[in-house]
Amino acid sequence: MFLAIRELKHSKLRYLLIGLIMILVALLVFIISGLANGLSSDNASSIQNMKADYFVMEHDSKNKLNRSIISMEKLDEIRAISDVKAAEGLGQMMITLNKVSSSEKTDVTIFATDASGILAPKVIEGTSYDNKKQGEVVADRSLKEVGYKLGDSLKDDLSGKVFTIVGFTEKQSYSHTPTVYMNVKGWQEINPGLRNHGKDSISTIAVQMDSKAEVNVRESLPVGLTLISKEESLQSIPGYKEEQGTLTMMIAFLFVIAAFVLAVFFYVITLQKTNQFGVLKALGANTGYLAKSIVGQVMLLAVTCIAISVALTYGVTLIMPEGMPFELSADLVIKYSVLLLAVSVLGSLLSLYRVAKIDAIEAIGRLS
């Protein structure tokens, strides 16, 4: 480490430029990761935060909530399955609501479920809706941030039904629209898709159970129904898989680019120092000592640059527009910091190979 620190002090400009590139690459990784996380939450937080492990849907629905319609009678049959810990019906549809006091329109996703069931949203302001009263809803607080408040009346464009906001919840969105919760009866009244299926229906049944019981529950389901995991449900949300796949590929390429850039930089520097390494070998320094010096140098540089990039990332979040979906958890920062450090060390392996091949006599001969 002594040799590594001495060289960093001696060639400040050279390593400053390398460090700048590392900071920019790491900063880009963290920002894109935060955007990917934020977009994932904005697209599917209502499903992600549900206290459910699996969903029961119509067999031919292709795992899409808006294509599945199940009779409420099936809910009791599923609850009767021995391996099912809890089950609750869920209705879903996307509609446009008009603010009665103005001409403002908002696209929202309606989720209908029992107000006291396992899928009921956590109310952070106001009260929850009533299972017996019609017209009460609990909305995601993103609606509050754009001007909606408790007591506001919202009218459904299609059915003409009017709803009143009685409470706000948080982190509830679906397909990049805020989620509005209501009781099942209210949802059944405004859903035109139930005309040919009977009013007493829902979209899906959320199930809590042990993953080991999946096979048994699947075999015990009524005819025409299928069991899917929460992850499968997320992947079926329109655009979710493509959106996350694109951002994940970008992050992966950034790691590859970081590895190649660092490998080239340190390999060129190693070539420039071939004679010096040869002299050190002639003086008794073995390959292991020189390798530790290079790896130590890379790790010291990488840790410093990653720390700076993390600080810059959190600084950038302070100036981001309020509506931009961005979430960067501490776990994700640690995970990608470790990966960036590993990639940095990996990029130095080519230099280690070159150092191992240096012949002391040949290097000294070039100096003479």
Side-chain angles (χ1 to χ4, degrees):
M1 189 60 73
F2 169 78
L3 187 62
I5 295 173
R6 288 273 297 181
E7 189 174 2
L8 287 171
K9 288 181 178 179
H10 182 266
S11 305
K12 294 183 182 70
L13 182 60
R14 175 192 294 172
Y15 288 103
L16 184 64
L17 293 174
I18 297 174
L20 182 60
I21 292 173
M22 290 179 68
I23 289 170
L24 292 175
V25 171
L27 179 64
L28 198 54
V29 166
F30 289 128
I31 289 177
I32 293 178
S33 301
L35 288 172
N37 232 23
L39 285 169
S40 172
S41 179
D42 191 57
N43 202 355
S45 59
S46 289
I47 299 295
Q48 292 170 338
N49 297 329
M50 269 187 187
K51 295 176 182 178
D53 309 304
Y54 294 85
F55 294 93
V56 176
M57 294 188 182
E58 271 192 307
H59 186 71
D60 57 354
S61 65
K62 295 185 178 179
N63 300 346
K64 296 184 183 296
L65 287 175
N66 61 332
R67 296 184 183 180
S68 175
I69 297 178
I70 303 173
S71 170
M72 286 290 285
E73 296 175 357
K74 305 295 184 184
L75 179 57
D76 292 330
E77 294 181 41
I78 291 169
R79 282 173 174 168
I81 299 173
S82 59
D83 291 312
V84 172
K85 296 178 182 178
E88 196 64 67
L90 176 70
Q92 183 267 348
M93 66 181 295
M94 300 185 75
I95 64 174
T96 299
L97 293 177
N98 289 324
K99 196 173 182 180
V100 174
S101 60
S102 67
S103 59
E104 187 176 350
K105 294 186 176 184
T106 306
D107 292 325
V108 302
T109 297
I110 298 293
F111 272 17
T113 189
D114 191 315
S116 57
I118 60 173
L119 304 183
K122 181 181 179 182
V123 177
I124 60 171
E125 183 181 347
T127 61
S128 185
Y129 54 88
D130 194 298
N131 282 329
K132 295 180 180 179
K133 290 182 180 179
Q134 297 296 319
E136 294 184 345
V137 298
V138 171
D140 181 67
R141 74 171 180 182
S142 59
L143 287 180
K144 182 181 179 180
E145 292 169 359
V146 294
Y148 290 84
K149 61 183 183 297
L150 292 176
D152 278 352
S153 296
L154 308 172
K155 183 179 180 181
D156 174 29
D157 267 354
L158 293 176
S159 67
K161 297 282 185 180
V162 177
F163 304 96
T164 302
I165 299 176
V166 296
F168 284 105
T169 183
E170 63 180 348
K171 296 182 179 179
Q172 298 290 340
S173 59
Y174 184 89
S175 196
H176 297 298
T177 61
T179 300
V180 172
Y181 282 84
M182 64 172 59
N183 60 40
V184 176
K185 288 296 182 183
W187 173 80
Q188 291 170 342
E189 288 294 324
I190 65 172
N191 192 342
L194 300 183
R195 291 170 185 169
N196 300 324
H197 296 269
K199 286 288 186 181
D200 198 23
S201 301
I202 46 178
S203 299
T204 183
I205 297 172
V207 176
Q208 287 182 348
M209 67 181 197
D210 197 306
S211 59
K212 296 177 182 178
E214 181 178 345
V215 175
N216 294 334
V217 173
R218 195 182 298 276
E219 292 175 350
S220 303
L221 288 177
V223 177
L225 301 183
T226 186
L227 185 72
I228 66 169
S229 66
K230 182 185 283 190
E231 183 58 34
E232 288 174 312
S233 176
L234 290 173
Q235 295 299 320
S236 67
I237 295 174
Y240 180 88
K241 181 170 62 176
E242 293 78 8
E243 185 179 85
Q244 291 301 302
T246 300
L247 292 169
T248 300
M249 185 177 68
M250 290 173 65
I251 294 170
F253 270 111
L254 283 172
F255 278 111
V256 173
I257 290 169
F260 273 102
V261 168
L262 290 172
V264 170
F265 266 108
F266 280 100
Y267 185 72
V268 170
I269 291 173
T270 301
L271 287 177
Q272 293 174 343
K273 298 188 297 181
T274 298
N275 295 338
Q276 291 94 315
F277 282 131
V279 171
L280 289 171
K281 278 191 172 184
L283 293 173
N286 57 34
T287 302
Y289 175 80
L290 298 177
K292 287 178 183 179
S293 174
I294 292 174
V295 172
Q297 193 176 72
V298 171
M299 291 187 69
L300 186 61
L301 191 64
V303 168
T304 303
C305 292
I306 291 169
I308 293 172
S309 65
V310 169
L312 287 174
T313 301
Y314 283 109
V316 169
T317 60
L318 298 177
I319 60 173
M320 282 184 174
E322 192 175 339
M324 182 174 288
F326 188 92
E327 288 186 18
L328 192 62
S329 64
D331 289 342
L332 196 64
V333 169
I334 294 171
K335 174 185 173 183
Y336 282 135
S337 295
V338 172
L339 281 174
L340 284 167
L341 184 60
V343 165
S344 300
V345 174
L346 188 66
S348 68
L349 294 182
L350 189 62
S351 298
L352 298 183
Y353 174 78
R354 177 63 188 174
V355 169
K357 292 293 183 180
I358 292 174
D359 181 81
I361 297 176
E362 184 181 343
I364 293 172
R366 291 199 193 108
L367 289 171
S368 57

